[in-house]
Amino acid sequence: MRFLRASDTALLVEVEDPMEVTRLGAAWSEVPGVTELIPGAQTVLVRFDPSRISAAQLVDALSTARTGAHSSVAGPEVSIPVRYDGEDLDEVADLLSVSVDTLIERHLNAQWRVAFCGFAPGFGYATCTDPLFDVPRRSSPRTRVPAGAVGLAGPFTSVYPRDSPGGWQLIGHTDAVMWDIDRDPPALVAPGTVITFEQQRPVAVVTSTPNTSGRTGELFDGLEDDPVASEVGGPASGSGPEVTVRETWRPDPVLASLRVIHPGIRTLIQDGGRPGQAAVGVSGAGAADRTALSQANRAVGNLPTAAVLECTGAVHMEYRGLPGVAAVAGAQGTGELVSSDGTVRPILQGVPFAIDDGDELSLSHPTHGLRYVIAVRGGLLARPALGSVSSDTLAGLGPGPLEAGDCVVVGDPRHAPAVVEPLGITRDLPRSGETVDVMITLGPRDDWFTPEAVAALTAQEWLVGTRSDRVGLRLEGAVPLDRRIEGELPSEGTVTGAIQVPPDGQPVLFLPDHPLTGGYPVIGAVVAEHLDLVGQLPPGARIRFRLRPEENFGG
C-alpha cells in the first residue's frame, strides 16, 4: 500500500485491485478517528478527525488493520434485466475484437461485483474477472445519457441512475430503478453487491419510481394556481397563514413561513449536510460557509446545523405568520426590514431581530463575500432526503432552487434549544477584485505535474471565474498547470477543497456539491480552516495559494 496526503483531514491509500478496496474498507471503518471512507478504482480515500488521530498515527492504524481484512466481503445479490440495444454496442464489439453475440454472452455470464460508488447517487462501479472487459471511454462524452443506460468503461460496468452527461460506452438499457430516495436503502447497489445481468426480461426488479424532476425536496408553494400543487386542509386552526402545500409532505400546524418575492441569483435551503453517505455515492453537501451557518443559528438560538436559507445575490422575502426572530450572517451588504406599517429597520450582521406577519426582508447585492445565510428561530422545514434538507445541486437531492412565490415553512420556535444571542459578527470577507491568501496542502497527485507547474500553483494569482458554482470554483491563471504524466487516472475519491486539474491546466477548486470521485489529478487541497473562506469568494476575486508545512507520516 502507498499512503498519500489528500488534505489536512484525509489520506489517499493506493491498493492493488478493486476487490481489495472493498475488503480494506470493511476493516478500516472501525479505526478510531476515521470519519468516512470513499472507495475508488484502486484507492481508498480515508477522511479522519485530526483532533483524534494524526496522519502518522492513522497510517500505522490502517497498516495494522489490514491484517484482518483479507476475507472476502459477502454482499447482497441483485439481478438486473437488460435490453442489449445500446448505441455503442457494435463499436464496443469491434474494439474488443469479438462479435456482438459474444460480447453480450460474456457480459451476461460474468459475475460482477460493485467495488465502489461515485459520480452520482446509486452509480456503482462493478468489476469481474473476465479479461475481455477493458473498454476505453468515448473520446467525446455525451451531454445526456438516459437513466437506465448500461455502460462499459475500463474494467467496469454500471447503470446510469439518472439522466446525466457521461463518457461511458453504452451497450444496453434497463428498467431497474438504481436510485429511489423513497426506498430503504435508496441505492439498489452498494460496494460488495454482486450483480448478474439477465437478457430481455420485460419487468423491472424494482417497481417504485424515482423523482428526477430536480425539485426533489417538497416545499410549500405559495402559488395557488400551481398545477403541481393542491390545497390540503387549508390553514392550521388559528395558527398561521393559509398556504398551498404539496400533497406528499405537510407539517402540521403551520405557524409561519417565508415567501420568496425575489430569489436573487440563487437561493437554496441548506443545513449541516449528509456526511457518511459516500458508500452510495452521496456527498456531504450542506452549507458552503459553515461558520455563517453556525453564527446565524446561534444568534436565533437554533442548533448550529439547523436549516437556513443560503442566498447568492440580492434577495427579497416576506414573512407570514406568528411573530418570530431572524438573523443574517455570511456575506456583507445592506439589509433592511420593512414592517407592514411602513417602518424601516436596518439589519446588522449576526444581530437577531424580531419579525412579524407582513414584514418584508431585503438584502442588497453583497459588497463583501458571496452568500448570505438567513436563519429563523425554529429552523426551516422541508422534506428530508437521507436525513438532511440540504440542496445538493449536483446529485439533485433535497429541495431545488427557490423561485418567486415559493413559501418555506418555519419550525416551531419553542423547539429551539437556546436563547437568542446578539453576536455582532465581524468577518474579513473579500470583494470582487481583491486577493486573498488560502492555505493548502500538496497532493495526492502533485507528482503528475511538472516541477514548474507545482511551483506555478503558489507563485501566481488565480482568478475566480464567472462559471463558478457550488460544485466548484473555476480558476483562471496566466500559466496553466502542465502535466508530467499523461493519460487517464482511475476514478478516486476527492474532498471538499480539492484542487482538480483538467487537461487544459486551469484548476477547479471543489466546493460542497462536488462529485465524490473524479478522474482528473488533484494537485492539492485547501485546509479545513479556510474552506468557509473559499465558499464566500465571488467571481473576480483572486487567490494566492500558500503551502502549509506538511507532517511527515512516512507514506
Side-chain angles (χ1 to χ4, degrees):
M1 287 186 295
R2 182 183 177 212
F3 295 88
L4 304 170
R5 184 180 300 280
S7 73
D8 60 327
T9 60
L11 298 179
L12 188 71
V13 188
E14 292 181 337
V15 297
E16 296 175 4
D17 63 71
M19 289 302 99
E20 189 178 12
V21 168
T22 304
R23 293 192 296 268
L24 291 173
W28 289 351
S29 62
E30 303 301 322
V31 173
V34 170
T35 59
E36 191 164 36
L37 299 170
I38 303 177
Q42 298 172 5
T43 60
V44 180
L45 182 74
V46 184
R47 299 186 61 187
F48 66 95
D49 181 352
S51 68
R52 298 180 59 194
I53 190 170
S54 69
Q57 292 170 331
L58 181 60
V59 168
D60 291 340
L62 298 180
S63 300
T64 303
R66 188 187 183 207
T67 303
H70 289 290
S71 60
S72 62
V73 178
E77 297 185 5
V78 172
S79 179
I80 296 178
V82 179
R83 299 182 301 278
Y84 287 94
D85 55 1
E87 300 171 53
D88 303 318
L89 185 62
D90 292 340
E91 182 178 347
V92 172
D94 289 341
L95 285 171
L96 299 180
S97 300
V98 297
S99 68
V100 168
D101 288 343
T102 299
L103 172 61
I104 293 172
E105 180 182 7
R106 292 176 71 166
H107 192 259
L108 288 168
N109 290 336
Q111 186 182 70
W112 299 90
R113 185 185 293 270
V114 177
F116 64 100
C117 292
F119 176 66
F123 190 98
Y125 292 73
T127 63
C128 69
T129 57
D130 189 332
L132 174 70
F133 294 101
D134 189 2
V135 181
R137 286 175 170 83
R138 289 176 55 85
S139 58
S140 177
R142 292 181 171 90
T143 57
R144 179 186 175 275
V145 175
V150 180
L152 295 169
F156 301 106
T157 193
S158 192
V159 179
Y160 282 79
R162 59 179 297 183
D163 292 0
S164 63
W168 287 39
Q169 306 279 6
L170 305 183
I171 62 171
H173 296 84
T174 179
D175 294 323
V177 178
M178 305 305 295
W179 176 264
D180 181 353
I181 193 62
D182 294 321
R183 185 173 60 200
D184 185 18
L188 185 62
V189 301
T193 299
V194 175
I195 299 175
T196 55
F197 293 99
E198 297 182 1
Q199 189 172 12
Q200 296 180 345
R201 286 189 59 182
V203 295
V205 295
V206 179
T207 58
S208 56
T209 302
N211 184 338
T212 57
S213 66
R215 290 178 67 88
T216 52
E218 300 297 343
L219 301 176
F220 278 70
D221 197 316
L223 299 178
E224 281 74 6
D225 58 353
D226 185 346
V228 299
S230 62
E231 287 286 329
V232 182
S237 56
S239 59
E242 181 172 346
V243 293
T244 298
V245 299
R246 300 180 187 275
E247 289 185 293
T248 52
W249 185 80
R250 177 184 183 232
D252 189 23
V254 178
L255 301 179
S257 65
L258 279 172
R259 183 175 69 89
V260 179
I261 298 174
H262 178 63
I265 298 172
R266 173 167 281 190
T267 292
L268 302 167
I269 296 178
Q270 296 294 345
D271 58 15
R274 300 179 182 85
Q277 303 288 339
V280 292
V282 177
S283 68
D289 182 351
R290 302 300 176 99
T291 298
L293 172 70
S294 175
Q295 288 176 337
N297 275 318
R298 181 181 169 191
V300 298
N302 290 339
L303 290 173
T305 57
V308 299
L309 294 182
E310 180 183 273
C311 310
T312 304
V315 295
H316 188 185
M317 309 268 175
E318 180 190 19
Y319 182 82
R320 302 162 69 179
L322 299 181
V325 180
V328 176
Q332 298 158 15
T334 302
E336 64 180 25
L337 190 74
V338 180
S339 301
S340 56
D341 64 2
T343 303
V344 179
R345 290 178 285 159
I347 295 171
L348 303 178
Q349 280 273 321
V351 177
F353 54 91
I355 192 166
D356 206 344
D357 185 49
D359 288 355
E360 294 189 11
L361 167 65
S362 297
L363 299 173
S364 68
H365 192 85
T367 58
H368 294 74
L370 180 65
R371 295 178 169 94
Y372 292 110
V373 168
I374 303 174
V376 183
R377 184 171 177 83
L380 304 180
L381 303 181
R383 185 184 182 190
L386 298 178
S388 168
V389 299
S390 175
S391 297
D392 186 332
T393 59
L394 181 65
L397 288 174
L402 300 185
E403 302 171 358
D406 281 346
C407 289
V408 183
V409 175
V410 177
D412 191 333
R414 294 169 296 185
H415 295 164
V419 298
V420 297
E421 186 172 352
L423 301 175
I425 299 166
T426 301
R427 292 178 68 191
D428 187 16
L429 295 179
R431 66 170 71 202
S432 182
E434 292 185 344
T435 301
V436 296
D437 288 344
V438 174
M439 192 77 71
I440 64 170
T441 58
L442 281 180
R445 299 300 179 186
D446 52 304
D447 59 344
W448 275 55
F449 297 88
T450 65
E452 294 79 11
V454 175
L457 178 66
T458 56
Q460 66 179 332
E461 293 183 356
W462 297 92
L463 177 70
V464 177
T466 57
R467 294 188 301 125
S468 300
D469 54 23
R470 278 180 51 90
V471 175
L473 300 182
R474 308 277 179 165
L475 304 183
E476 303 169 8
V479 179
L481 303 182
D482 294 329
R483 288 193 195 179
R484 183 178 64 85
I485 300 176
E486 298 296 334
E488 211 169 80
L489 180 71
S491 294
E492 59 189 27
T494 59
V495 299
T496 301
I499 305 168
Q500 190 184 72
V501 185
D504 65 3
Q506 301 292 342
V508 178
L509 198 168
F510 280 163
L511 291 183
D513 293 355
H514 70 89
L516 278 176
T517 59
Y520 295 140
V522 172
I523 193 172
V526 175
V527 301
E529 63 189 277
H530 283 182
L531 289 177
D532 291 338
L533 172 62
V534 299
Q536 287 287 5
L537 293 179
R542 293 181 174 272
I543 299 175
R544 267 192 309 256
F545 290 123
R546 297 289 183 248
L547 283 180
R548 173 178 171 172
E550 294 191 7
E551 172 188 357
N552 182 7
F553 54 85

